[in-house]
Short mmCIF file of all heavy atoms in Angstrom, two decimals:
data_model
loop_
_atom_site.label_atom_id
_atom_site.label_comp_id
_atom_site.label_asym_id
_atom_site.label_seq_id
_atom_site.Cartn_x
_atom_site.Cartn_y
_atom_site.Cartn_z
N ILE A 1 0.85 -1.20 0.00
CA ILE A 1 0.00 0.00 0.00
C ILE A 1 0.89 1.24 0.00
O ILE A 1 1.80 1.35 0.83
CB ILE A 1 -0.93 -0.01 1.22
CG1 ILE A 1 -1.87 -1.23 1.15
CG2 ILE A 1 -1.74 1.29 1.30
CD1 ILE A 1 -2.78 -1.38 2.34
N PRO A 2 0.65 2.21 -0.91
CA PRO A 2 1.55 3.37 -1.03
C PRO A 2 1.45 4.37 0.11
O PRO A 2 2.33 5.21 0.29
CB PRO A 2 1.14 4.01 -2.36
CG PRO A 2 -0.29 3.59 -2.55
CD PRO A 2 -0.40 2.23 -1.95
N ASN A 3 0.39 4.32 0.89
CA ASN A 3 0.25 5.26 2.01
C ASN A 3 0.92 4.70 3.26
O ASN A 3 1.06 3.48 3.41
CB ASN A 3 -1.23 5.51 2.30
CG ASN A 3 -1.83 6.49 1.33
OD1 ASN A 3 -1.24 6.81 0.32
ND2 ASN A 3 -3.05 6.95 1.62
N PRO A 4 1.33 5.58 4.20
CA PRO A 4 1.88 5.08 5.46
C PRO A 4 0.85 4.23 6.20
O PRO A 4 -0.29 4.65 6.39
CB PRO A 4 2.21 6.36 6.24
CG PRO A 4 2.32 7.43 5.19
CD PRO A 4 1.34 7.06 4.13
N ILE A 5 1.27 3.03 6.62
CA ILE A 5 0.39 2.10 7.34
C ILE A 5 1.10 1.65 8.62
O ILE A 5 2.30 1.37 8.63
CB ILE A 5 0.08 0.86 6.47
CG1 ILE A 5 -0.74 1.26 5.24
CG2 ILE A 5 -0.68 -0.19 7.29
CD1 ILE A 5 -2.16 1.63 5.53
N PHE A 6 0.35 1.56 9.70
CA PHE A 6 0.87 1.00 10.95
C PHE A 6 -0.22 0.15 11.59
O PHE A 6 -1.41 0.30 11.28
CB PHE A 6 1.30 2.11 11.92
CG PHE A 6 0.15 2.93 12.45
CD1 PHE A 6 -0.57 2.50 13.57
CD2 PHE A 6 -0.23 4.11 11.83
CE1 PHE A 6 -1.64 3.23 14.06
CE2 PHE A 6 -1.29 4.85 12.30
CZ PHE A 6 -2.00 4.41 13.42
N TYR A 7 0.20 -0.74 12.49
CA TYR A 7 -0.76 -1.46 13.32
C TYR A 7 -0.11 -1.68 14.67
O TYR A 7 1.10 -1.85 14.79
CB TYR A 7 -1.25 -2.76 12.68
CG TYR A 7 -0.20 -3.73 12.26
CD1 TYR A 7 0.13 -4.82 13.06
CD2 TYR A 7 0.47 -3.58 11.04
CE1 TYR A 7 1.09 -5.74 12.68
CE2 TYR A 7 1.43 -4.48 10.65
CZ TYR A 7 1.75 -5.57 11.47
OH TYR A 7 2.71 -6.47 11.08
N LYS A 8 -0.94 -1.64 15.72
CA LYS A 8 -0.45 -1.71 17.09
C LYS A 8 -1.50 -2.38 17.96
O LYS A 8 -2.67 -2.53 17.56
CB LYS A 8 -0.14 -0.31 17.61
CG LYS A 8 -1.33 0.64 17.59
CD LYS A 8 -0.94 2.05 17.98
CE LYS A 8 -2.15 2.97 17.94
NZ LYS A 8 -1.80 4.36 18.33
N ASP A 9 -1.08 -2.77 19.16
CA ASP A 9 -2.03 -3.41 20.07
C ASP A 9 -2.85 -2.35 20.78
O ASP A 9 -2.62 -1.14 20.61
CB ASP A 9 -1.31 -4.33 21.05
CG ASP A 9 -0.33 -3.59 21.96
OD1 ASP A 9 -0.52 -2.36 22.17
OD2 ASP A 9 0.62 -4.22 22.45
N LEU A 10 -3.77 -2.80 21.57
CA LEU A 10 -4.67 -1.86 22.23
C LEU A 10 -3.95 -0.99 23.26
O LEU A 10 -4.45 0.06 23.65
CB LEU A 10 -5.82 -2.63 22.91
CG LEU A 10 -6.78 -3.35 21.96
CD1 LEU A 10 -7.83 -4.12 22.76
CD2 LEU A 10 -7.44 -2.37 21.02
N GLY A 11 -2.75 -1.41 23.67
CA GLY A 11 -1.97 -0.60 24.60
C GLY A 11 -1.13 0.45 23.93
O GLY A 11 -0.41 1.20 24.60
N GLY A 12 -1.18 0.51 22.60
CA GLY A 12 -0.43 1.52 21.87
C GLY A 12 0.96 1.08 21.47
O GLY A 12 1.76 1.90 20.99
N MET A 13 1.31 -0.21 21.60
CA MET A 13 2.62 -0.72 21.22
C MET A 13 2.58 -1.12 19.75
O MET A 13 1.70 -1.87 19.32
CB MET A 13 3.00 -1.93 22.08
CG MET A 13 4.48 -2.29 22.00
SD MET A 13 5.49 -1.10 22.88
CE MET A 13 4.98 -1.44 24.57
N TYR A 14 3.55 -0.61 18.96
CA TYR A 14 3.57 -0.88 17.53
C TYR A 14 3.90 -2.35 17.29
O TYR A 14 4.91 -2.88 17.80
CB TYR A 14 4.58 0.00 16.81
CG TYR A 14 4.07 1.42 16.58
CD1 TYR A 14 4.65 2.50 17.24
CD2 TYR A 14 3.02 1.66 15.70
CE1 TYR A 14 4.18 3.78 17.04
CE2 TYR A 14 2.54 2.94 15.49
CZ TYR A 14 3.12 4.01 16.17
OH TYR A 14 2.65 5.26 15.97
N LEU A 15 3.07 -3.01 16.50
CA LEU A 15 3.28 -4.40 16.11
C LEU A 15 3.94 -4.48 14.74
O LEU A 15 4.61 -5.47 14.43
CB LEU A 15 1.96 -5.15 16.08
CG LEU A 15 1.17 -5.18 17.40
CD1 LEU A 15 -0.17 -5.87 17.20
CD2 LEU A 15 1.98 -5.86 18.50
N GLY A 16 3.75 -3.46 13.93
CA GLY A 16 4.34 -3.45 12.60
C GLY A 16 3.94 -2.20 11.83
O GLY A 16 3.07 -1.43 12.23
N CYS A 17 4.61 -1.99 10.70
CA CYS A 17 4.32 -0.84 9.82
C CYS A 17 4.95 -1.10 8.47
O CYS A 17 5.78 -2.01 8.31
CB CYS A 17 4.85 0.45 10.42
SG CYS A 17 6.67 0.52 10.52
N ASN A 18 4.60 -0.33 7.50
CA ASN A 18 5.28 -0.43 6.20
C ASN A 18 6.41 0.59 6.13
O ASN A 18 6.56 1.45 7.00
CB ASN A 18 4.29 -0.28 5.04
CG ASN A 18 3.63 1.10 5.02
OD1 ASN A 18 3.91 1.96 5.86
ND2 ASN A 18 2.74 1.31 4.05
N LYS A 19 7.20 0.49 5.08
CA LYS A 19 8.38 1.35 4.96
C LYS A 19 7.98 2.80 4.77
O LYS A 19 8.69 3.72 5.19
CB LYS A 19 9.25 0.88 3.80
CG LYS A 19 10.61 1.58 3.73
CD LYS A 19 11.47 0.99 2.64
CE LYS A 19 12.86 1.62 2.68
NZ LYS A 19 12.84 3.07 2.51
N VAL A 20 6.85 3.03 4.12
CA VAL A 20 6.40 4.41 3.92
C VAL A 20 6.17 5.09 5.27
O VAL A 20 6.52 6.26 5.46
CB VAL A 20 5.11 4.44 3.07
CG1 VAL A 20 4.64 5.88 2.84
CG2 VAL A 20 5.33 3.74 1.75
N PHE A 21 5.63 4.36 6.23
CA PHE A 21 5.40 4.91 7.56
C PHE A 21 6.72 5.21 8.27
O PHE A 21 6.90 6.26 8.90
CB PHE A 21 4.56 3.94 8.39
CG PHE A 21 4.26 4.41 9.78
CD1 PHE A 21 3.25 5.32 10.02
CD2 PHE A 21 4.99 3.94 10.88
CE1 PHE A 21 2.96 5.76 11.30
CE2 PHE A 21 4.73 4.38 12.16
CZ PHE A 21 3.70 5.29 12.37
N SER A 22 7.66 4.24 8.22
CA SER A 22 8.95 4.46 8.88
C SER A 22 9.71 5.62 8.24
O SER A 22 10.38 6.39 8.93
CB SER A 22 9.79 3.17 8.84
OG SER A 22 10.12 2.83 7.50
N ASP A 23 9.62 5.75 6.92
CA ASP A 23 10.26 6.89 6.25
C ASP A 23 9.63 8.21 6.70
O ASP A 23 10.31 9.23 6.83
CB ASP A 23 10.15 6.74 4.73
CG ASP A 23 11.02 5.63 4.19
OD1 ASP A 23 11.94 5.19 4.93
OD2 ASP A 23 10.78 5.19 3.04
N MET A 24 8.33 8.20 6.91
CA MET A 24 7.64 9.41 7.35
C MET A 24 8.18 9.86 8.71
O MET A 24 8.33 11.06 8.97
CB MET A 24 6.14 9.15 7.44
CG MET A 24 5.31 10.35 7.86
SD MET A 24 3.55 9.96 8.00
CE MET A 24 3.55 9.07 9.56
N LEU A 25 8.51 8.88 9.61
CA LEU A 25 9.04 9.23 10.93
C LEU A 25 10.55 9.38 10.93
O LEU A 25 11.12 9.85 11.93
CB LEU A 25 8.64 8.16 11.95
CG LEU A 25 7.14 7.97 12.20
CD1 LEU A 25 6.93 6.94 13.30
CD2 LEU A 25 6.47 9.27 12.57
N GLY A 26 11.20 8.99 9.83
CA GLY A 26 12.66 9.09 9.77
C GLY A 26 13.34 8.02 10.60
O GLY A 26 14.47 8.23 11.09
N LEU A 27 12.69 6.85 10.77
CA LEU A 27 13.25 5.75 11.55
C LEU A 27 13.28 4.47 10.72
O LEU A 27 12.61 4.36 9.69
CB LEU A 27 12.40 5.52 12.82
CG LEU A 27 12.31 6.68 13.82
CD1 LEU A 27 11.26 6.35 14.88
CD2 LEU A 27 13.65 6.98 14.45
N ARG A 28 14.04 3.49 11.21
CA ARG A 28 14.01 2.18 10.59
C ARG A 28 12.80 1.41 11.10
O ARG A 28 12.35 1.63 12.23
CB ARG A 28 15.29 1.41 10.89
CG ARG A 28 16.56 2.06 10.34
CD ARG A 28 17.77 1.18 10.62
NE ARG A 28 17.88 0.90 12.06
CZ ARG A 28 18.74 0.02 12.56
NH1 ARG A 28 19.55 -0.66 11.75
NH2 ARG A 28 18.78 -0.18 13.87
N GLN A 29 12.31 0.49 10.28
CA GLN A 29 11.14 -0.27 10.68
C GLN A 29 11.40 -1.06 11.96
O GLN A 29 10.55 -1.12 12.85
CB GLN A 29 10.71 -1.21 9.55
CG GLN A 29 10.03 -0.51 8.39
CD GLN A 29 9.69 -1.46 7.26
OE1 GLN A 29 10.54 -1.80 6.46
NE2 GLN A 29 8.43 -1.90 7.23
N GLU A 30 12.59 -1.63 12.08
CA GLU A 30 12.88 -2.43 13.26
C GLU A 30 12.96 -1.59 14.53
O GLU A 30 12.78 -2.10 15.65
CB GLU A 30 14.18 -3.23 13.06
CG GLU A 30 15.38 -2.40 12.68
CD GLU A 30 15.57 -2.34 11.16
OE1 GLU A 30 14.54 -2.41 10.42
OE2 GLU A 30 16.73 -2.25 10.72
N ASP A 31 13.28 -0.27 14.35
CA ASP A 31 13.33 0.61 15.53
C ASP A 31 11.94 1.05 15.99
O ASP A 31 11.80 1.61 17.09
CB ASP A 31 14.18 1.85 15.22
CG ASP A 31 15.65 1.51 15.00
OD1 ASP A 31 16.08 0.48 15.54
OD2 ASP A 31 16.33 2.26 14.26
#
């Protein structure tokens, strides 16, 4: 998906994201 995508648990902990999202934050996906 070309748009930034993320998913997280109900406590707000990130479970995953696409590269577009990590680029938007200026971080690596694993970080």
Side-chain angles (χ1 to χ4, degrees):
I1 297 177
N3 281 12
I5 294 288
F6 68 86
Y7 55 99
K8 59 186 180 180
D9 62 25
L10 294 178
M13 195 73 68
Y14 282 112
L15 302 176
C17 66
N18 63 0
K19 189 175 185 301
V20 181
F21 180 80
S22 64
D23 289 343
M24 181 182 76
L25 297 184
L27 298 172
R28 297 183 304 171
Q29 285 177 279
E30 54 266 31
D31 294 334

